Amino acid sequence: MSAAAAIIRAGAASGQRPWPRHALSRERWQAMAAALDAADAPSLQGVWAEAERVHALFLDAGSPLAASVEVDGGSYPALSPHCPAASWFERMIHDLFGHTAEGGRDARGWLDHGAWATAAPLGPRQAALPPRVGAPEPPEFLPVEGEDLNQIGLGPVAGAIAEPAHLRLTAQGETLVRLEVRLGYAHKGTLGLMRGTPPRAAARFAARLSGSATVAHGLAYAHAVEAALGVAPPPRAVALRAVMAELERIRAHLDAAAAILAEAGAAFLETRFGWHREAMHEAAGRAFGHRLMMDAVAPGGLATDLAADGAAAIRAALAALAAELPDLVRRLDRSASLGAGIGRIAPDLALRFGASGPVGRASRRASGHGGDARLVPGYPPYPVLGLDVPTRAEGDVAARLRVRLDELPESARLLRALLEALPDGTIATALPAASGEGLGVAESSRGTVWHWVRIEGGLVAAAFARDPDWLHWPLLEAAMRNGMLADLPLCAASFGLTSSGVDL
Amino acid sequence: MTIWQRLRHTLRHGPAPLPAAAPSAETAAALAARLDAAAQRRLGRSLAIRHVGAGGCDGCELELRALNGIVYDLERFGLRFVTSPRHADILLATGPLTRTMAEALARTHAAMGEPKWVVAVGDCAIDGGVFKGSYACLGGITTLPVDLVIRGCPPTPWQVLEGLRALIEANATPAR
C-alpha cells in the first residue's frame, strides 16, 4: 500500500456508504498531500467541499478511498503542489464556498467570473459578504514571455453549435506554444439548487449536469442516494438502467466518431455514423419516451418502464449498425494515418490525471491499466454479465477514435443479452425519509462519473458531482502543447469534452 | 451494406432525409403579424443562424447537431448554421442564460446586422426551466427581444424545425 493510502486508511472512518470516508487532522492531511508525489500514490478523482469540510476522493488500486479535513479559519492545506490534478477543484471550492487552499498552485478565479451577486454563494459566510458593485474584472491568464508570440482568444461563443468555453491560444507561427482553457460560463448553480430538496426531486438537476451523459449522471446520483439510504433498486430496474446506459454509450460514441471524422474531412464516414446516431436517438425515444432518456433513471429505480415495442426498436437499430459497422471500420483502416500521432497523451500523464473513458483507455500503460467503473469498482449488473474493455497504447487522436469504435460491438452485445433476459416485476423502490451519506459511480461514454450526496431528514443537505471532463480538459491542454495550431479542432473533437458537467 | 451498395440504393430510391410536414400556419401567421408591427425589412427564404449556448446542459445542442445532420438536413429548407454573428439573420439561444454568459450573448446580438430575429430554444431559454431561481442564472433569454420560443427539454429536432420553418414562412409573406 502506498504511503498516502496508509495515512488515509488510518483516519477515523465515517458513515459514508458503501465506501467509508476517513477524517484526517490538518497535520495528517498535509502528510497525505506530501505523499501524493510518489509513483504508486492513489489517483485523485476529485476534491469538493461543504460548509465546514473539504473532501478528496482517490482510487487506490481500483478501490475508492475518501478523505476529509475540517476547514479552519477559512482555509485548508492544498493538494495541488503535489498533485496538479487538484488545482481546478481548489479554484472551484474557493469560488463556491470561500475556502482557501493554503499553498495552492493557482489562486485565480474559476467558476466565478465576477457576475454573481456575491462571492462564495454556497459558503458559510455568504450572508455576511457585501453585494458586488461595478463591472467584473477581466479574466487573468497565465503570463507569456518570449518573442514572436501571438495570442488568440476563442469563445465563449465559438464553433457552429457548441457549449460555452474560452480557449486562450498562444502561438509562435503555426506552433501552439500553450493552450489555456477557461470554463465557468455554463455555471448554473446546480449544487445550490439541489440543497433542501427531496432526493427524488433533486434527480432532475443531476440529469441536467450534462445532456450527453444524462443517463450516466442520473445513474451515479441514484447509486449515491441508494447507498446513503440503504435502498436496493428492483432487478428489473437494474437491468433496464444498463439498457439505457449502453444505448447512451453507443449513441455518444457514434456522435463523437462523427465529430472526429467531420474534422478530419471524412464526409462519407461522418454521414454514416451520424445516421446511426440518429437511429439510436429514435430507438431511445420509442423505448423510453425521450430521445435522450432524460429523467428516466430515478433514485430507488426508474421513472419510466420500457415501452411495449421498445425492445424491438432497440434491436432493429442495433441490427442496422451491426450490418454496416464492419464496412465502415474497413474504410477507416484504409486511411490508417487519420489522426495518428496527433495530440498524444503519455500513459503516465493519463494515469496521473486519473483519465478515464476513451481518453484514459487510449493511453493504456504496459501493465494493462485501462479502468472502467463498470468493472472496477464495479456495479450491478456488469460484474455478472462480464465485459471486455478495449484499450490502446498510442494515446493519440486515432487511438481515441478506435477505442470508441471498438466499444460499440461490446455495448451492443450487452444490450442484446440484457433485453433477452429482462426480469419482470416493479421498477422502483420507495425511498425512506432518512439520513445518510453516499458515494455513487457510473461509467459514462466520456469516462467515470462520481456523485456524492449527504441526506438529512429526507432532504439533500449537500451534494457534489464529478464529471470525467474535470480531468480531461487539462489533458487537452497538455496534448496540444507544441502541437500544430491547425490540429486543435481535430484533437479537441477526439477528446469530446463538454463544459456543463464541469461548470456545475 | 458497402459504399457501392449504398450508392446504388441512394440513386434508385432518392436521398436519405426524412420528408417534413408543412410548418404550423398559426405560428407563421403570428410571426408575420409581429414582423409587420415591427416594420422590419424582409429577409427572404434563406436564413443564417448563429447559435449561442447560454449555459445549457448540452441537451439542446445535441438535438441541434442532429438537425444539422443527414437525417433532418436543415440546409434543404434554406437554413444553415454559421460561425460569425455578422453573417447571421437569426440568433438561436439555448440555456437558462447564466449571469456569466450575459455579456457574450449581448455582444453576439450587437454584432449581428439588422434586420435580425432572436429564437429561444428549450425550456431553460424560455424561463430558466429547472434552473429558475438560481443565483447564477437570469431565468432565460430575458435580456434580448425574443421573437420565437420553441419549448421542450430538449425539443426534438422536428419541433425546432417546425418553429424555424414558420419563421421562414412569416418572412416570405409579402408585407401589406
Side-chain angles (χ1 to χ4, degrees):
Chain A
M1 194 194 300
S2 71
I7 293 171
I8 297 172
R9 289 214 166 86
S14 77
Q16 176 180 285
R17 284 178 290 194
W19 303 285
R21 176 170 59 78
H22 301 272
L24 302 185
S25 69
R26 208 177 168 88
E27 289 70 34
R28 298 305 289 160
W29 175 277
Q30 259 164 337
M32 178 267 288
L36 292 176
D37 281 321
D40 64 343
S43 101
L44 183 84
Q45 298 292 300
V47 192
W48 68 96
E50 28 180 349
E52 307 300 341
R53 243 175 258 111
V54 169
H55 309 283
L57 176 67
F58 300 90
L59 269 183
D60 181 41
S63 80
L65 191 57
S68 58
V69 66
E70 298 284 325
V71 174
D72 186 13
S75 78
Y76 63 99
L79 302 180
S80 53
H82 306 283
C83 180
S87 193
W88 283 17
F89 293 104
E90 290 174 358
R91 292 166 73 180
M92 174 272 293
I93 289 171
H94 177 265
D95 285 1
L96 292 185
F97 296 89
H99 307 327
T100 306
E102 215 173 81
R105 276 159 52 108
D106 198 338
R108 294 174 298 156
W110 183 240
L111 296 181
D112 187 357
H113 296 212
W116 308 338
T118 65
L122 303 182
R125 296 167 292 280
Q126 194 264 339
L129 292 170
R132 283 172 165 160
V133 285
E137 297 281 314
E140 198 184 324
F141 292 96
L142 292 173
V144 179
E145 278 176 41
E147 287 191 14
D148 300 329
L149 296 174
N150 56 65
Q151 286 207 333
I152 308 163
L154 270 184
V157 180
I161 305 169
E163 286 187 282
H166 182 87
L167 306 186
R168 182 57 60 114
L169 320 176
T170 304
Q172 190 168 36
E174 303 274 301
T175 307
L176 189 54
V177 182
R178 180 196 282 150
L179 164 65
E180 190 183 356
V181 177
R182 180 77 201 266
L183 300 182
Y185 296 94
H187 177 72
K188 295 177 269 295
T190 304
L191 302 182
L193 290 165
M194 289 172 89
R195 294 207 296 208
T197 59
R200 182 105 195 208
R204 66 199 162 128
F205 299 113
R208 281 163 187 78
L209 271 157
S210 178
S212 61
T214 176
V215 172
H217 270 283
L219 191 53
Y221 170 76
H223 284 157
V225 171
E226 285 154 10
L229 299 178
V231 172
R236 184 174 175 82
V238 171
L240 282 176
R241 282 174 173 187
V243 168
M244 293 180 194
E246 295 312 315
L247 196 52
E248 180 178 75
R249 191 179 327 279
I250 291 177
R251 190 216 66 218
H253 281 344
L254 291 170
D255 194 16
I260 297 168
L261 293 162
E263 293 297 348
F268 173 74
L269 289 171
E270 177 216 342
T271 306
R272 293 314 304 161
F273 282 114
W275 173 273
H276 288 292
R277 174 193 96 136
E278 180 59 24
M280 297 300 156
H281 265 307
E282 280 297 312
R286 280 177 57 193
F288 298 103
H290 191 290
R291 284 163 51 89
L292 307 184
M293 297 171 283
M294 204 171 248
D295 299 324
V297 177
L302 294 178
T304 328
D305 203 341
L306 183 69
D309 63 343
I314 296 172
R315 283 198 190 100
L318 292 179
L321 178 62
E324 193 174 4
L325 189 61
D327 184 54
L328 296 179
V329 171
R330 242 190 331 272
R331 290 181 58 76
L332 189 65
D333 283 339
R334 267 181 245 151
S335 53
S337 62
L338 195 152
I342 296 174
R344 198 172 174 274
I345 297 285
D348 283 342
L349 187 65
L351 184 69
R352 199 158 166 68
F353 267 81
S356 56
V359 174
R361 293 199 277 276
S363 296
R364 175 199 59 204
R365 297 228 295 182
S367 59
H369 167 81
D372 188 313
R374 289 175 289 177
L375 293 179
V376 184
Y379 53 90
Y382 297 103
V384 182
L385 281 175
L387 177 64
D388 182 27
V389 181
T391 58
R392 301 247 160 181
E394 300 86 358
D396 54 7
V397 168
R400 288 188 282 275
L401 172 60
R402 290 312 296 260
V403 163
R404 288 185 175 94
L405 297 182
D406 292 346
E407 281 186 13
L408 292 175
E410 185 64 6
S411 287
R413 182 188 69 79
L414 289 177
L415 267 173
R416 279 190 282 261
L418 285 160
L419 290 172
E420 202 58 48
L422 269 187
D424 289 325
T426 56
I427 54 162
T429 310
L431 299 178
S435 303
E437 184 182 336
L439 187 62
V441 67
E443 185 74 9
S444 79
S445 65
R446 292 184 278 108
T448 307
V449 176
W450 293 96
H451 271 251
W452 171 85
V453 66
R454 179 201 298 289
I455 299 168
E456 282 168 13
L459 297 176
V460 173
F464 181 66
R466 203 297 312 253
D467 188 275
D469 287 346
W470 272 101
L471 301 173
H472 294 164
W473 278 102
L475 286 174
L476 173 65
E477 294 180 338
M480 282 314 296
R481 181 160 303 158
N482 297 324
M484 296 297 290
L485 200 52
D487 287 341
L488 177 61
L490 177 62
C491 186
S494 78
F495 276 79
L497 300 172
T498 70
S499 307
S500 180
V502 183
D503 284 347
L504 300 168
Chain B
M1 210 186 278
T2 67
I3 180 174
W4 301 114
Q5 286 165 334
R6 178 151 308 279
L7 192 61
R8 203 155 53 231
H9 183 269
T10 307
L11 287 173
R12 266 193 208 140
H13 303 282
L18 297 176
S24 149
E26 203 180 313
T27 316
L31 284 166
R34 184 170 180 144
L35 203 120
D36 288 337
Q40 262 197 2
R41 193 156 55 81
R42 303 299 170 130
L43 286 163
R45 280 194 162 269
S46 174
L47 300 177
I49 307 169
R50 173 64 243 192
H51 165 255
V52 175
C57 72
D58 202 29
C60 290
E61 283 81 352
L62 256 177
E63 294 295 43
L64 292 177
R65 283 193 289 270
L67 196 56
N68 225 2
I70 177 186
V71 178
Y72 299 96
D73 193 13
L74 193 63
E75 292 212 23
R76 67 185 151 145
F77 301 108
L79 292 161
R80 66 192 190 284
F81 284 95
V82 294
T83 49
S84 170
R86 296 187 201 283
H87 303 161
D89 310 305
I90 299 173
L91 191 159
L92 190 157
T94 54
L97 186 53
T98 59
R99 288 178 181 272
T100 310
M101 271 305 286
E103 173 78 21
L105 179 72
R107 287 201 201 179
T108 306
H109 188 251
M112 291 169 60
E114 296 282 350
K116 54 192 166 189
W117 295 84
V118 177
V119 179
V121 170
D123 290 348
C124 283
I126 293 167
D127 64 358
V130 303
F131 302 105
K132 214 180 296 180
S134 167
Y135 65 86
C137 300
L138 291 168
I141 309 304
T142 49
T143 55
L144 298 179
V146 175
D147 298 295
L148 173 67
V149 300
I150 298 171
R151 289 180 191 283
C153 186
T156 65
W158 280 128
Q159 288 167 323
V160 180
L161 193 55
E162 198 196 23
L164 293 176
R165 289 185 68 204
L167 204 57
I168 296 184
E169 288 309 314
N171 231 324
T173 316
R176 275 160 289 174

